Amino acid sequence: MRLLASAGGSFEGVMAQTFPPMQTVSTGLVVAVVGFFSSFPIVLQGLGAMGASPSEAASGLMSAAIAMGLAAVVLSLWYRLPISVAWSTPGVALLAVSAAPAEGFSGAIGAFLCAGALTVMAGLWKPLGRLAAAIPTTLAQAMLAGVLMPLCILPFKAAVEIPWQALPVILTWFIAGRFNRLFAVPAAVIAAAIVVILNAGGATIMPERLVAAPIWTPPTFTLSSAIGIGVPLFIVTMATQNIPGIAVMRSFGYAPATGRLFSAVGGASLLSAPFGAPATCLAAITAAMCSNEDSHPDPALRYWSAIMGGVFYCLFGVFAVAITGFAAHADPLLMGTLAGVALIGVLANSIFAALEVPAEREAAMLTFAITASGITVFGLGAAVWGLLAGGIAYLVSNRVR
């Protein structure tokens, strides 16, 4: 009787606490489709740029999807909150425009582990968490915009070089976005798959395997990869994913345990990094999908949407090798087109946020220009130098004022 009373006094209430309501199952499926298929081309681009072989990239995609799926399931069940977890899309975009470590993919794995360890520390040690949160939003967003710019111009380069492949994808993305922005990129993925099939010339494009075991890559730790890749990966993930993810949940009336969640997703990153996964983090966009009234009328039951989203992420991850095997038949510029259209909206938001404060625009534009230049000096990438130069300009400007 006490159980019935605590569940709202009805059999339906007890069932809703024990089994996922159907509305949350459908929401979870939409979350997983949007989260996975809107950004998996970017993950493959990023891992490839870090020197991953096709099999290592497949392992990384699989491990990233399973890590974020399991993290969402465990955290949402534990806290009874709609805690949606993702891979770091801005983070893998950063990898896609960064130079591969001299040590190869093992050096990148070491950098992934450094970023995960910093995230755990940010959750456990408050000064580090405050330091990450203290980075001006304008500079963090300018750095992200600079990272995204080279990727977002790829679709238009492809439209000139391979028009009959790129233009159908671009047009599909644009037209679908007029009806539903969330499904614009998944629609572009379908269009790209059709293009690949039509351009196969009758050759088989079926992947050799549907399911494969993850590949363990021993990490190599170097100071240059830690500072040049690990630290920027940590900063961009904290500033554009973890901190906004907390803010989204709070905006819907939830009270997440910030430090514990940072440490949890950082721990998931540490466990999955040796298998090729770059960074696991809190989600922002899909967190809103799980937390609003469309997820479920009862706020106390919306955590089921995040759980079901996690379950579907794991299912998609299991078949990641088939997805990467199919993608291997695509022209690299076609995959670049998918990655570019997927990031145009993120780029627009980043530029807007970077220029929002008039007094900080000069520092933000300096950060953006240097980051977008793609320079590497003393083994450190453009994102590090952009944030450093922008930070100095920001401090000097504030001091003068």
Side-chain angles (χ1 to χ4, degrees):
M1 294 297 294
R2 285 196 297 269
L3 179 61
L4 281 174
S6 65
S10 68
F11 176 74
E12 290 79 4
V14 175
M15 293 297 291
Q17 292 286 350
T18 308
F19 300 101
M22 284 306 301
Q23 184 173 345
T24 63
V25 175
S26 60
T27 300
L29 177 59
V30 172
V31 163
V33 168
V34 170
F36 187 94
F37 289 97
S38 292
S39 53
F40 86 85
I42 310 163
V43 177
L44 297 180
Q45 292 275 109
L47 294 175
M50 290 292 100
S53 67
S55 57
E56 288 170 336
S59 174
L61 182 64
M62 174 175 62
S63 301
I66 292 176
M68 65 188 191
L70 290 178
V73 171
V74 172
L75 292 174
S76 297
L77 275 174
W78 184 264
Y79 290 106
R80 292 294 195 270
L81 295 175
I83 302 170
S84 185
V85 182
W87 52 48
S88 176
T89 300
V92 292
L94 170 68
L95 300 180
V97 297
S98 300
E103 305 77 25
F105 193 51
S106 65
I109 296 294
F112 299 166
L113 288 169
C114 289
L118 286 172
T119 306
V120 172
M121 290 176 60
L124 297 177
W125 190 43
K126 290 184 179 180
L128 179 58
R130 286 196 292 266
L131 180 62
I135 296 173
T137 300
T138 52
L139 299 191
Q141 293 292 343
M143 181 181 70
L144 177 59
V147 166
L148 298 179
M149 179 61 75
L151 295 171
C152 289
I153 63 178
L154 278 178
F156 310 104
K157 290 183 176 180
V160 175
E161 296 188 28
I162 51 170
W164 297 111
Q165 295 186 51
L167 286 176
V169 174
I170 296 171
L171 290 174
T172 300
W173 164 78
F174 181 78
I175 294 171
R178 302 317 95 197
F179 297 95
N180 191 318
R181 290 185 179 181
L182 289 176
F183 286 98
V185 178
V189 170
I190 294 173
I194 295 172
V195 167
V196 172
I197 294 171
L198 293 177
N199 282 273
T204 178
I205 57 173
M206 290 298 295
E208 296 179 1
R209 293 172 294 174
L210 292 178
V211 179
I215 298 174
W216 173 279
T217 301
T220 300
F221 296 97
T222 63
L223 185 61
S224 61
S225 63
I227 297 176
I229 298 175
V231 172
L233 179 60
F234 162 71
I235 291 173
V236 76
T237 300
M238 286 293 294
T240 64
Q241 291 283 136
N242 285 332
I243 294 173
I246 293 291
V248 166
M249 284 189 281
R250 285 177 175 167
S251 71
F252 286 97
Y254 298 101
T258 303
R260 293 178 183 177
L261 292 186
F262 288 169
S263 295
V265 293
S269 297
L270 290 175
L271 292 174
S272 58
F275 300 102
T280 303
C281 57
L282 299 175
I285 295 175
T286 55
M289 295 170 65
C290 292
S291 301
N292 68 24
E293 60 277 5
D294 293 332
S295 170
H296 195 276
D298 186 354
L301 296 179
R302 292 173 189 169
Y303 71 94
W304 278 112
S305 293
I307 292 172
M308 295 311 302
V311 170
F312 287 117
Y313 276 137
C314 291
L315 291 176
F316 293 153
V318 168
F319 297 101
V321 70
I323 295 171
T324 54
F326 186 87
H329 294 279
D331 188 295
L333 271 178
L334 181 62
M335 294 302 296
T337 298
L338 277 177
V341 297
L343 292 169
I344 285 178
V346 183
L347 174 63
N349 292 333
S350 297
I351 292 175
F352 176 81
L355 303 178
E356 193 171 13
V357 182
E360 300 174 10
R361 283 178 184 167
E362 185 176 8
M365 284 306 299
L366 186 61
T367 301
F368 168 77
I370 295 175
T371 303
S373 72
I375 60 172
T376 299
V377 182
F378 302 125
L380 301 180
V384 176
W385 294 113
L387 190 60
L388 180 61
I392 293 173
Y394 175 88
L395 292 174
V396 170
S397 297
N398 279 354
R399 192 67 174 265
V400 169
R401 288 197 300 271

